Amino acid sequence: MRSIYLDHAATTPVREEVIEAMVKVLRENFGNPSSIHQFGRPVRKMMEEAREKVAKAINADPREIIFVGSGTEADNIAILGGARANKKKGNHLITTSVEHHAVLDAFKALEKEGFEVTYLPVDEVGRISVEDFKNALRDDTIFVSVMHANNEVGTIMPVEEIGAICREKKILFHTDAVQSVGKIPVDVTKINCDFLALSGHKLYGPKGIGVLYMRRGVRTQPLYFGGGQERKLRPGTENIANIIGLSVAIELAVAEMEQESARLSKLRDKLIDGVLANIEETRLNGPREGRLPHNVNVSIEYIEGEALLLTCDMKGMAASSGSACTSGSLDPSHVLMAMGLTHTTAHGSLRLSLGKSTTEDDIDYIIRELQPIAERLRAMSPVWERFQKGLPIA
Amino acid sequence: MRSIYLDHAATTPVREEVIEAMVKVLRENFGNPSSIHQFGRPVRKMMEEAREKVAKAINADPREIIFVGSGTEADNIAILGGARANKKKGNHLITTSVEHHAVLDAFKALEKEGFEVTYLPVDEVGRISVEDFKNALRDDTIFVSVMHANNEVGTIMPVEEIGAICREKKILFHTDAVQSVGKIPVDVTKINCDFLALSGHKLYGPKGIGVLYMRRGVRTQPLYFGGGQERKLRPGTENIANIIGLSVAIELAVAEMEQESARLSKLRDKLIDGVLANIEETRLNGPREGRLPHNVNVSIEYIEGEALLLTCDMKGMAASSGSACTSGSLDPSHVLMAMGLTHTTAHGSLRLSLGKSTTEDDIDYIIRELQPIAERLRAMSPVWERFQKGLPIA
Amino acid sequence: MYTDKVLDHFTNPRNVGEIEDASGVGEVGNMKCGDIMKMYLKINDSTNVIEDVTFKTFGCGAAIATSSMSTEMIKGKSIDEALSLTNKAIADALDGLPPVKMHCSVLAEEALKAALLDYQKKSGKNLGLNEEDFEDWDEE
Ligand SMILES: Cc1ncc(COP(=O)(O)O)c(C=O)c1O
Ligand SMILES: Cc1ncc(COP(=O)(O)O)c(C=O)c1O
Ligand code: FES
Ligand code: FES
């Protein structure tokens, strides 16, 4: 049977060049980079070369690159550390209502610590407005976090504008670029951010490695303590294999970006058009323009997400959903809800995220197969029945 | 030239079985364990099997195993989380003066938050006394952390006695077992600990993976926030390759422990005896009995540690030292100082930590080569000159 | 971490030892910091030329290498030239030191000046060195 991976926004396969680089490290460079002997020194050097590669990929200085254990950790050091370290300057923070939980839950924690947080609303395609942002600014605003691109609906945020305003007002600005690096250009000097988070496993690198970009001169504080590694911001023996793996992955991702993103954008648009044309009562979530090249998110109304996913999976299509029922919690995706979707529509959402392995043939297959799946599930859906009978839907 | 790795306490080479298991995961099981589709499900299953293996290695229940990013992180979740989550019950904490910085610096942070901390002294071989511990206990003592075995001098601590007392008094007890797992038996039911930390790269597994054991029913709180992974204690997409690698490594380490530890103990004793006999004015740091099987730590008086290390390295012996000058900080090892060594003696310390690759031939080589190295460095040491002239040594 | 030149001077330190009838001897540093350096000078009283110089050092690789390099840099030089030797010049001559190791090179400059101060006392010449300048001699 076919097996199409359509969940590249959740995680990506590790590319062969990365695996080979990692295996070489695991076999030959096991030394501790803090050791001054022959087993440690070359490892330290490799690590610093990796730092240069990562810096180059986002137009930063190598001294601004801090290797951490995940995208989540990078977000948290930036947010918890950045806010706590600057508490004396003010008490107000701004973020958006559609951030990843790694950002959102960090802000929730800061609220418990006494900070005030403004969660910016988004429009129907999931984008914040710069006007709203300006209106939210206060004299005591010290920290702002706006994601570069949304993981669920692919909406690209106006981070350059936000960054310029923050820089001018000397407010710290963090951006979660976990979804955007390697997909669209990411240049810290253009975004004007003080912090930026990225993660290895979203760009064909290993899981368990993230990067915190921290602009020179900016202060934060660590979440935990120990050895002096990574300028004391991420203590613990460094995961060299993953650091090297990430550096190889990000270098390749950026080098191939223009071509690959153009290819994916075409496939994305074909898939969106095909699904909307083929299945009635279906809507696109997120924008047509200003959208990540690999993200498709549609709501197939009157169907529940997990059932949809499982059926897709049986037909060899591995996707994901914003339905509550996949996450174990009762509310559907906070992103879709913030965009103003009804519960019903949010529950029927399906995210198909494309990647290097995705072919035009796959797209044709999906368009073809999705329609009977929707039909089958609708045939057993009482909500669909209500809809067809013209009855009100809760 | 010869190349003998004598720094297994700093980190170990990754064993081939581990590399192979990791490569298999990197190539074939890239899915996100949170995904419910065919790419995610098998990965979730592998992860739970790995959890069982780790649990078995320390006689725990799989539900008590939390995968984290390093030994440092495990220590910090236990200590920062454990103390903060139980603040209401009391304000006093106890640890020892010879813990790893991952423990010590976490306690320093808690002191800044308002906790009172007692740092237990150690005797001349680096061991705390149960008597001192009992005397330190207060009505408001809520958390105790005592390492299972010391990373610098190999001293094994009376953790069972401490654990029994804590259990009886309902005080939370954490032990840092990063150095002991795979070297000496580690059984959480015998130690009676509520938390235990271990790390992959000390037992021939990968770097960047640690385990927090947390007894059922015990409460802590996370250091950072995000997805619901690892019972919300360690959010972020799981590092499956490292989780599998660690599970393979720990299973093998425990299976081979008895035989390998007996072999290493013999080599250790031969090395200690040889060095002490061969080089005048040399002393053993740490105990003869109750010492990790792979740890040798000697002070070659009137020589500075980094110079010693570098010279050893040139002769193909990669070791480590407790001298300030290797660490960039000005004070020599806090462990050696807590044991009552003078600055001079602490500066001249050399740790030789043996491992799977160490042969009897290596030991002979070290004993033979160390003497002329010591002689050469002493010839240029003004402190040695003072000593020989019978002058006082500051 | 260390340049080839540092490693060379560490491995084959020049001018190690003592001078029996030294014109000036200086010892600086302390055990607490783990670095002590002692320098011996043989100075020609009439020409003011440093004819011989030796050292002994208890310290890290950088401390030993800077000691060695500094003796090479002043051997055969006049007292005035020796007085103008800075720790930075010694570090540069070694193609640089890691930032955390710069303080080790201060030791060499200090030891040399201490030895010259000793010579000033013994010879009665005024080299313009001042005892107090040494009391609060600070790293960097
Ligand atoms: C006793 C002890 N605790 C904690 C750690 C920290 O482990 P990791 O390097 O995995 O963070 C180490 C080793 O570095 C150690 O020896
Ligand atoms: C936007 C965004 N931020 C943060 C994360 C967290 O990254 P990681 O899984 O590496 O912790 C993810 C992915 O899970 C993400 O999509
Ligand atoms: S119907 Fe089962 S979780 Fe919602
Ligand atoms: S002599 Fe102490 S760091 Fe160089």
mmCIF file of all heavy atoms in Angstrom, chain B residues 325, chain C residues 33-35 59-60 62-63 101 103-104, ligand 4:
data_model
loop_
_atom_site.group_PDB
_atom_site.id
_atom_site.type_symbol
_atom_site.label_atom_id
_atom_site.label_comp_id
_atom_site.label_asym_id
_atom_site.label_seq_id
_atom_site.Cartn_x
_atom_site.Cartn_y
_atom_site.Cartn_z
ATOM 1 N N CYS B 325 43.173 25.748 36.991
ATOM 2 C CA CYS B 325 43.667 26.319 35.753
ATOM 3 C C CYS B 325 43.117 25.599 34.536
ATOM 4 O O CYS B 325 43.200 26.094 33.425
ATOM 5 C CB CYS B 325 45.172 26.351 35.785
ATOM 6 S SG CYS B 325 45.737 27.288 37.216
ATOM 7 N N CYS C 33 45.865 30.723 43.692
ATOM 8 C CA CYS C 33 45.472 30.781 42.291
ATOM 9 C C CYS C 33 46.157 29.701 41.469
ATOM 10 O O CYS C 33 45.878 29.546 40.294
ATOM 11 C CB CYS C 33 45.790 32.152 41.715
ATOM 12 S SG CYS C 33 44.952 33.462 42.588
ATOM 13 N N GLY C 34 47.057 28.999 42.094
ATOM 14 C CA GLY C 34 47.677 27.898 41.374
ATOM 15 C C GLY C 34 48.717 28.345 40.387
ATOM 16 O O GLY C 34 48.978 27.665 39.399
ATOM 17 N N ASP C 35 49.316 29.511 40.619
ATOM 18 C CA ASP C 35 50.402 29.881 39.717
ATOM 19 C C ASP C 35 51.479 30.662 40.453
ATOM 20 O O ASP C 35 51.205 31.642 41.148
ATOM 21 C CB ASP C 35 49.895 30.666 38.505
ATOM 22 C CG ASP C 35 48.726 31.563 38.852
ATOM 23 O OD1 ASP C 35 48.668 32.036 39.994
ATOM 24 O OD2 ASP C 35 47.888 31.790 37.973
ATOM 25 N N GLY C 59 52.437 26.294 37.188
ATOM 26 C CA GLY C 59 51.250 26.885 36.587
ATOM 27 C C GLY C 59 50.846 26.107 35.349
ATOM 28 O O GLY C 59 51.467 25.096 35.005
ATOM 29 N N CYS C 60 49.824 26.625 34.701
ATOM 30 C CA CYS C 60 49.236 25.909 33.587
ATOM 31 C C CYS C 60 50.111 25.997 32.343
ATOM 32 O O CYS C 60 51.186 26.612 32.359
ATOM 33 C CB CYS C 60 47.864 26.484 33.283
ATOM 34 S SG CYS C 60 47.959 28.152 32.616
ATOM 35 N N ALA C 62 49.756 27.759 29.701
ATOM 36 C CA ALA C 62 49.975 29.150 29.296
ATOM 37 C C ALA C 62 51.021 29.816 30.175
ATOM 38 O O ALA C 62 51.862 30.583 29.696
ATOM 39 C CB ALA C 62 48.667 29.930 29.369
ATOM 40 N N ALA C 63 50.996 29.508 31.460
ATOM 41 C CA ALA C 63 51.945 30.116 32.388
ATOM 42 C C ALA C 63 53.369 29.670 32.042
ATOM 43 O O ALA C 63 54.302 30.477 32.008
ATOM 44 C CB ALA C 63 51.598 29.734 33.819
ATOM 45 N N LYS C 101 43.128 32.827 29.571
ATOM 46 C CA LYS C 101 44.511 32.563 29.957
ATOM 47 C C LYS C 101 45.395 33.811 29.903
ATOM 48 O O LYS C 101 46.597 33.725 30.136
ATOM 49 C CB LYS C 101 45.097 31.475 29.047
ATOM 50 C CG LYS C 101 44.431 30.115 29.233
ATOM 51 C CD LYS C 101 44.807 29.519 30.580
ATOM 52 C CE LYS C 101 44.278 28.091 30.718
ATOM 53 N NZ LYS C 101 44.631 27.521 32.027
ATOM 54 N N HIS C 103 45.597 36.175 31.915
ATOM 55 C CA HIS C 103 46.166 36.524 33.221
ATOM 56 C C HIS C 103 47.470 35.760 33.499
ATOM 57 O O HIS C 103 48.298 36.206 34.265
ATOM 58 C CB HIS C 103 45.151 36.300 34.339
ATOM 59 C CG HIS C 103 44.923 34.862 34.684
ATOM 60 N ND1 HIS C 103 44.009 34.085 34.031
ATOM 61 C CD2 HIS C 103 45.517 34.049 35.595
ATOM 62 C CE1 HIS C 103 44.029 32.866 34.537
ATOM 63 N NE2 HIS C 103 44.935 32.810 35.489
ATOM 64 N N CYS C 104 47.621 34.607 32.867
ATOM 65 C CA CYS C 104 48.837 33.827 33.081
ATOM 66 C C CYS C 104 50.045 34.554 32.500
ATOM 67 O O CYS C 104 51.172 34.403 32.975
ATOM 68 C CB CYS C 104 48.719 32.444 32.446
ATOM 69 S SG CYS C 104 47.158 31.636 32.781
HETATM 70 S S1 FES D 4 48.510 29.613 35.675
HETATM 71 FE FE1 FES D 4 46.498 29.431 36.462
HETATM 72 S S2 FES D 4 45.285 29.539 34.683
HETATM 73 FE FE2 FES D 4 47.283 29.745 33.926
#
